[in-house]
Structures are given as C-alpha cells and as structure tokens.
Amino acid sequence: AQRVTQPEKLLSVFKGAPVELKCNYSYSGSPELFWYVQYSRQRLQLLLRHISRESIKGFTADLNKGETSFHLKKPFAQEEDSAMYYCALSFFGNEKLTFGTGTRLTIIP
Amino acid sequence: ETGVTQSPTHLIKTRGQQVTLRCSSQSGHNTVSWYQQALGQGPQFIFQYYREEENGRGNFPPRFSGLQFPNYSSELNVNALELDDSALYLCASSLSGGTYEQYFGPGTRLTVT
C-alpha cells in the first residue's frame, strides 16, 4: 500500500533563510507527487505537482525515485510562507490522494 | 467560477445517530472525492464519485456511504456514528482524467459526543 511520510510535524525558519520540508513515500510503481498548502483560515490548495515542474511562490520540489523523496524547497523564506504543508501522492489514472500527516511551517520575522 | 462549497460548517451529533454532509462541486467538475481529516492527521480518502457512480473507496466501513447527483453535487452519509468519527470532512472536486487538480471545499467539522 502507498504511504507518505513527513518526518517533521513542526518546522521554524528565520525569514530569509532556506526552507526544506521533507517528504518520503513508499509505492511500487510510478506515483504522481503533490504538495498541498493550507494557509490560516483558508482551504487546502495545491501548491505544486511534480509533473508540471513549475516553481510556485518560489517553491520547488524534485522527485527522487532512488530515495523515494519529494522534498519541498525554497531558497529564501518569507513570512507569508507560514502555513500547514501536506505532501500527497496518487497514481496515474486514479485521483485518490494519499496524504502525509503534514508539517506546520512557521517563519520567524 | 464558483468554488467548492460544503454544508453545514459545523455540527454536533450523538453516538449512534446518522448524519448527512453535503458538497457542491466547482462549476464544470464531474468528480467528487471525500476525505476525513482527524485532528493532527492528513486527510484520508473515503471514496470518490464520478458521474453518479462510486469510483474507488478507501479503508472505511460500509456505514460510510455516498451519493452523487446529476448536477455533480454529492452527499456523504454516516450511519451509527462513533466517537472516532469526529473529524473534519473535506470534499474535493475535479475534472476526471487522472491528471486534473482537485479543488477542496472548506470542510464540515463533525463532533460526535
């Protein structure tokens, strides 16, 4: 069965410092990986997906199939990045999402 | 374009009762998925509906059931409520195709006492 692990429940980073939120997955096959974000008092929304290879709000994530990881990175944290971040996976042709437990990111001014 | 809406926002039920939660999908979307999010956890997939048929189910007992209507809105029904059913229930809509983004609603907070 597929599984997504986010080892850090809480992460605090100073403004301007680099950010890395870790995500590891277990799945036999070719998964599609996502990062979802939930800002305070807002609904869960897609931040980025690996197949699009886009950089959204300065965030990037590279799928490393050898290490089964999909870490989220940003070179310079901003205060508005404070939010709850969820890593998720699905497999092609099926839209069921399997989520990790989430990491609460706090940016310290 | 109207986003995903859910009703009610909150509700409190007693153990053993039944509850119905409602979801209106985003305009143009034909697929609705339901997730349960317990406190401190990520959302867990309950089931998905596509064109009024169940199209995949997670590890939830049969007392969790659903419907999708011709206008693609959906209901989640839970019978014989248990204390562990207390959670945020999220609905997400998408355009079927396997590569389309899921758009989430604000959720319904269910408390079972």
Side-chain angles (χ1 to χ4, degrees), chain B residues 2 5 15 18 30 32 36 46 49 58 62 71 73 76 79 81 86 90 94-96 102 105-106 108 111-113:
Chain B
T2 308
T5 60
R15 191 170 49 183
Q18 179 265 341
N30 57 14
V32 173
Q36 181 196 66
I46 303 174
Y49 278 83
N71 66 355
S73 66
L76 164 65
N79 293 322
L81 283 167
S86 295
L90 297 169
S94 57
L95 190 56
S96 182
Q102 292 193 34
T108 294
T111 302
V112 182
T113 62

Side-chain angles (χ1 to χ4, degrees), chain B residues 5-46:
Chain B
T5 60
Q6 292 186 244
S7 63
T9 307
H10 302 89
L11 75 165
I12 300 173
K13 290 285 188 178
T14 303
R15 191 170 49 183
Q17 286 187 315
Q18 179 265 341
V19 70
T20 298
L21 310 182
R22 294 179 176 83
C23 170
S24 291
S25 58
Q26 184 161 311
S27 176
H29 287 180
N30 57 14
T31 301
V32 173
S33 302
W34 285 92
Y35 294 83
Q36 181 196 66
Q37 187 173 18
L39 203 59
Q41 301 297 317
Q44 265 197 295
F45 177 76
I46 303 174

Side-chain angles (χ1 to χ4, degrees), chain A residues 9 32 34 36 38 43-46 49 51 86 90-102, chain B residues 3-5 31 35 37 40-43 45 48 90 94-102 104-106:
Chain A
K9 272 200 163 321
E32 185 172 4
F34 306 82
Y36 277 80
Q38 188 166 26
R43 59 188 67 190
L44 196 60
Q45 59 186 284
L46 180 66
R49 56 200 305 174
I51 61 167
Y86 294 95
S90 69
F91 52 93
F92 290 104
N94 185 315
E95 293 162 37
K96 164 193 170 182
L97 289 168
T98 298
F99 285 88
T101 51
Chain B
V4 178
T5 60
T31 301
Y35 294 83
Q37 187 173 18
Q41 301 297 317
F45 177 76
Q48 182 183 91
L90 297 169
S94 57
L95 190 56
S96 182
T99 59
Y100 290 106
E101 177 179 347
Q102 292 193 34
F104 283 83

Side-chain angles (χ1 to χ4, degrees), chain A residues 5-108:
Chain A
T5 302
Q6 294 179 251
E8 305 136 329
K9 272 200 163 321
L10 303 170
L11 182 64
S12 294
V13 172
F14 284 100
K15 178 181 172 182
V19 176
E20 182 179 46
L21 285 78
K22 291 185 168 50
C23 172
N24 289 89
Y25 66 91
S26 61
Y27 179 69
S28 55
S30 296
E32 185 172 4
L33 274 295
F34 306 82
W35 277 98
Y36 277 80
V37 61
Q38 188 166 26
Y39 300 103
S40 179
R41 301 183 196 281
Q42 293 188 28
R43 59 188 67 190
L44 196 60
Q45 59 186 284
L46 180 66
L47 179 62
L48 57 80
R49 56 200 305 174
H50 88 272
I51 61 167
S52 63
R53 297 184 175 275
E54 289 179 312
S55 171
I56 307 294
K57 299 185 178 183
F59 284 98
T60 58
D62 291 320
L63 179 59
N64 186 324
K65 291 187 178 180
E67 296 181 0
T68 60
S69 68
F70 188 57
H71 303 328
L72 184 68
K73 299 178 183 179
K74 184 171 182 175
F76 307 104
Q78 298 173 287
E79 287 184 61
E80 54 264 34
D81 297 330
S82 293
M84 194 73 182
Y85 291 80
Y86 294 95
C87 182
L89 71 75
S90 69
F91 52 93
F92 290 104
N94 185 315
E95 293 162 37
K96 164 193 170 182
L97 289 168
T98 298
F99 285 88
T101 51
T103 298
R104 181 168 297 283
L105 176 65
T106 301
I107 306 303
I108 304 165

Side-chain angles (χ1 to χ4, degrees), chain B residues 82-97:
Chain B
E82 301 177 0
L83 296 179
D84 284 350
D85 295 333
S86 295
L88 181 69
Y89 288 85
L90 297 169
C91 163
S93 75
S94 57
L95 190 56
S96 182

